[in-house]
C-alpha cells in the first residue's frame, strides 16, 4: 500500500513539473524595422539585425527597406549600425520594447562627434482615398526652431532640433490632400526662409516621413535640405 501511495505521488509530482514546462514556450515577437540615415558628415551605414547584415551601404539622406526581425519575448535583441567602410560600430540598440506585428523606424542623427539614435513607431493609419499621411522630424543639428509651410500654408509650427528637445522635435502623422507641394522651412515665427523645396509629391494612399537634415551653413550635400522616407 505504501509503495502504491508513493508511486501515485511520484506521478503527480512529475506531472506538475512537466505540464507547466510544456506550456512555457516563449512567445515570439515579429516586427518590421527600417533605418533612416540622417546624420550629416558620417559614413555610409551598414544595417545589422541580430548580427546579420540586412542592408548596406545606406547613404546619408536615404533609408533602408523595411526588414523583418523575430525576437523571443524574453530573448536578447541587438541592432548595430556600422561604418560601411571600416566595419566599426557607430551605434547599437539593445532590447527595444517593440510590439508584435508593428513597424518602426530607427533614425540615426546628429554630428560625427555626437551621434545618436531614435526609434519611432510607424503607427500611421492608411489615409482615405485622395489623401496621403505625413510626419515631420527636425534633424538639422544647427538649425533653429522651424515652421513648415506647404504651398504657403503653415502646417507645422515651432519644431526644435530633435537632439535638443525630443518632446518638441517631431510631429505625428497628419493626413494631407494628395498632390504636388512646394515645401518651405522657415525660422519659427518669422518670414525668414531657411529652405525651399519645390514639387514634393505626396501620392494617394502613401505615408511619408519628411525631415530637416544637414547644416544651415553646410557645404554641398551637407547643407540644409529635406529628407523623405516612404513608410508604405
Amino acid at each position: 500500500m505504501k509503495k502504491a501511495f508513493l508511486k501515485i505521488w511520484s506521478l503527480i509530482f512529475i506531472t506538475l513539473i512537466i505540464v507547466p514546462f510544456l506550456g512555457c514556450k516563449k512567445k515570439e515577437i515579429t516586427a518590421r524595422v527600417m533605418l533612416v540615415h540622417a546624420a550629416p558628415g558620417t559614413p555610409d551605414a551598414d544595417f545589422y539585425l541580430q548580427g546579420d547584415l540586412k542592408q548596406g551601404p545606406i547613404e546619408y539622406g536615404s533609408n533602408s527597406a523595411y526588414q523583418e526581425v523575430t525576437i523571443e519575448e524574453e530573448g536578447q535583441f541587438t541592432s548595430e549600425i556600422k561604418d560601411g567602410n571600416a566595419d566599426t560600430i557607430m551605434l547599437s540598440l539593445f532590447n527595444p520594447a517593440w510590439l508584435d506585428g508593428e513597424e518602426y523606424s530607427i533614425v540615426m542623427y546628429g554630428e560625427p562627434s555626437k551621434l545618436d539614435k531614435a526609434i519611432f513607431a510607424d503607427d500611421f493609419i492608411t489615409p482615405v482615398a485622395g489623401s496621403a499621411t505625413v510626419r515631420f522630424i527636425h534633424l538639422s543639428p544647427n538649425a533653429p526652431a522651424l515652421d513648415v509651410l506647404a504651398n504657403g500654408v503653415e502646417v507645422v509650427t515651432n519644431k526644435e532640433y530633435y537632439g535638443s528637445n525630443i518632446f518638441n522635435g517631431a510631429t505625428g502623422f497628419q493626413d494631407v490632400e494628395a498632390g504636388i507641394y512646394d515645401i518651405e522651412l522657415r525660422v519659427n515665427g518669422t518670414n525668414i526662409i531657411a529652405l525651399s523645396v519645390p514639387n514634393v509629391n505626396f501620392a494617394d494612399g502613401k505615408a511619408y516621413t519628411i525631415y530637416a537634415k544637414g547644416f544651415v551653413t553646410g557645404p554641398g550635400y551637407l547643407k540644409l535640405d529635406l529628407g523623405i522616407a516612404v513608410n508604405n
Side-chain angles (χ1 to χ4, degrees):
M1 175 67 76
K2 186 176 180 180
K3 289 184 178 180
F5 180 78
L6 289 174
K7 186 175 182 180
I8 291 170
W9 274 106
S10 296
L11 290 172
I12 292 172
F13 179 77
I14 292 169
T15 301
L16 290 173
I17 295 297
I18 292 177
V19 171
F21 178 79
L22 292 175
C24 282
K25 184 180 179 181
K26 291 181 179 179
K27 180 182 176 183
E28 290 184 338
I29 294 170
T30 299
R32 297 176 72 237
V33 57
M34 72 158 59
L35 172 65
V36 179
H37 186 340
T42 58
D44 296 349
D46 285 343
F47 185 31
Y48 283 78
L49 292 170
Q50 299 291 64
D52 296 327
L53 175 62
K54 292 297 183 179
Q55 190 171 333
I58 300 161
E59 298 178 348
Y60 161 64
S62 64
N63 56 274
S64 73
Y66 278 107
Q67 305 293 333
E68 187 172 285
V69 60
T70 299
I71 316 163
E72 287 188 350
E73 191 172 36
E74 298 177 3
Q76 296 296 310
F77 170 81
T78 61
S79 175
E80 294 171 335
I81 303 169
K82 292 186 177 182
D83 181 331
N85 300 314
D87 197 37
T88 55
I89 297 172
M90 295 189 285
L91 291 169
S92 297
L93 175 67
F94 299 99
N95 299 332
W98 288 343
L99 300 177
D100 187 49
E102 299 298 318
E103 295 179 333
Y104 299 90
S105 292
I106 301 174
V107 177
M108 180 172 73
Y109 67 94
E111 306 177 55
S113 61
K114 194 178 179 181
L115 279 180
D116 209 341
K117 62 186 179 297
I119 301 174
F120 292 89
D122 298 340
D123 53 358
F124 60 88
I125 297 172
T126 301
V128 298
S131 297
T133 190
V134 184
R135 69 179 168 193
F136 173 73
I137 310 174
H138 185 339
L139 296 172
S140 172
N142 68 344
L146 297 171
D147 301 332
V148 182
L149 287 80
N151 290 346
V153 177
E154 189 176 278
V155 291
V156 174
T157 304
N158 190 29
K159 286 300 161 196
E160 301 174 71
Y161 171 53
Y162 189 86
S164 299
N165 190 341
I166 64 173
F167 301 105
N168 190 39
T171 71
F173 285 96
Q174 304 173 32
D175 285 359
V176 300
E177 184 179 349
I180 306 295
Y181 289 86
D182 294 336
I183 303 295
E184 287 183 352
L185 303 183
R186 294 187 184 180
V187 177
N188 171 241
T190 76
N191 289 321
I192 299 173
I193 299 173
L195 176 69
S196 181
V197 183
N199 302 321
V200 177
N201 183 23
F202 296 139
D204 186 6
K206 302 300 287 184
Y208 300 90
T209 298
I210 64 172
Y211 54 97
K213 65 184 180 75
F215 300 109
V216 171
T217 56
Y221 78 100
L222 296 181
K223 68 182 180 181
L224 183 65
D225 203 354
L226 191 71
I228 302 176
V230 182
N231 296 103
N232 65 352

